Amino acid sequence: MQRDTVLIIGANGQIGTALLPLLQDQFGTDNVIASDLQKPDHATGPFEVLDATNPDALTDLVRRHKVTQIYHLAAVLSAKGESDPLWAWDLNMKALLNVLEVSRLQQLRKVFVPSSIAVFGDDALRNNTPQNSVLKPSTVYGISKVAAENWLAYYHKRYGLDVRSLRYPGVISYQSMPGGGTTDYAVAIFHEAIQGHAFDCFLAEDTRLPMIYMDDALRATMELMNAPEDSISVRTSYNLAGMSFTPAELTAAIQRYLPELTVNYKPDFRQAIAESWPMSIDDSVARRDWGWQPGFDLSRMTEEMINQLSVVYQ
Ligand code: AKB
């Protein structure tokens, strides 16, 4: 059997940081190349500084390490993208097309490219949003993810590239902070609460959004990537659900452990983005095709976040 060498692009980000050790367990530390714009202080295995918008640098890295799989996790997220839409589009699309082209030309075995609930917008059902919905996103990030989904399906159909994708909800984790997203409040609130600070929430208290705990997001990613090729019926991107809650419900869940937490609601431009997104997701196609089952609900996620961050801040 062919030995795999895996490249993570965006390894310093929220998902990359947590995914790296799992991939190292599966493939062996020396066979997972982490890459990002900057080298972290403590790399735990091979690391390459990479700007994925540079096609020559990416091709060189893939050839040198004989890479057979790519996890392309680098992207400008929803809120940050709105501050400079053309820059966000340029960066997201250039990096994606470089990844797809190098994967085709170097005949990679598998590629993972995440999508997001940001692909949905006006005209999609907001409750239990189905897999096949109208996709009219409200942000440049969402537009770039809809385009990405179509490019993935194109490379699969035209070139037979085994590209797989999940529409991540807001991902909640303790390992690192997300950056530039609309769902980020649900991570930041834990850090403030643990430190005994009041929290200024940039969404209104009744804004319901789909979220997922990092352990579930990682398990879904690994299960999708390890599923037999013929079980994958969706080559754009799979709907994925974990839990759904509002800022008020999350506050109440945290107050069970930290009753002194106070939250001030100060909705800003991110409120309109959140209101254009689903409140809950129908992920029945992922359940049917590769057996997806979430493990964390709001109360289990909250307990885990408080336990983990108590150690970090002690
Ligand atoms: C964001 O808020 O932009 C991301 C996402 C839902 O893709 N977390």
Side-chain angles (χ1 to χ4, degrees), residues 77-79 116-118 141 168-171 180-184 277:
L77 298 187
S78 58
S116 160
I117 53 164
Y141 170 63
Y168 286 134
V171 178
T182 303
T183 57
D184 295 4
W277 286 356

Side-chain angles (χ1 to χ4, degrees), residues 281-294:
I281 296 288
D282 172 358
D283 62 1
S284 50
V285 180
R287 289 172 189 248
R288 181 199 67 199
D289 282 4
W290 41 276
W292 170 240
Q293 281 290 340

Side-chain angles (χ1 to χ4, degrees), residues 4 6 22-29 31-32 69 71 226:
D4 271 297
V6 178
L22 292 193
L23 291 176
Q24 288 174 330
D25 280 352
Q26 179 170 346
F27 296 101
T29 302
N31 300 320
V32 182
Q69 296 194 24
Y71 288 69
N226 290 325

Side-chain angles (χ1 to χ4, degrees), residues 2-8 27-33 46 61-62 64-71 108-110:
Q2 185 188 6
R3 196 190 59 126
D4 271 297
T5 301
V6 178
L7 170 64
I8 308 181
F27 296 101
T29 302
D30 290 343
N31 300 320
V32 182
I33 319 299
L61 195 160
V62 165
R64 262 191 298 118
H65 289 279
K66 298 189 172 50
V67 169
T68 60
Q69 296 194 24
I70 293 181
Y71 288 69
L108 266 61
R109 288 190 50 234
K110 278 185 212 172

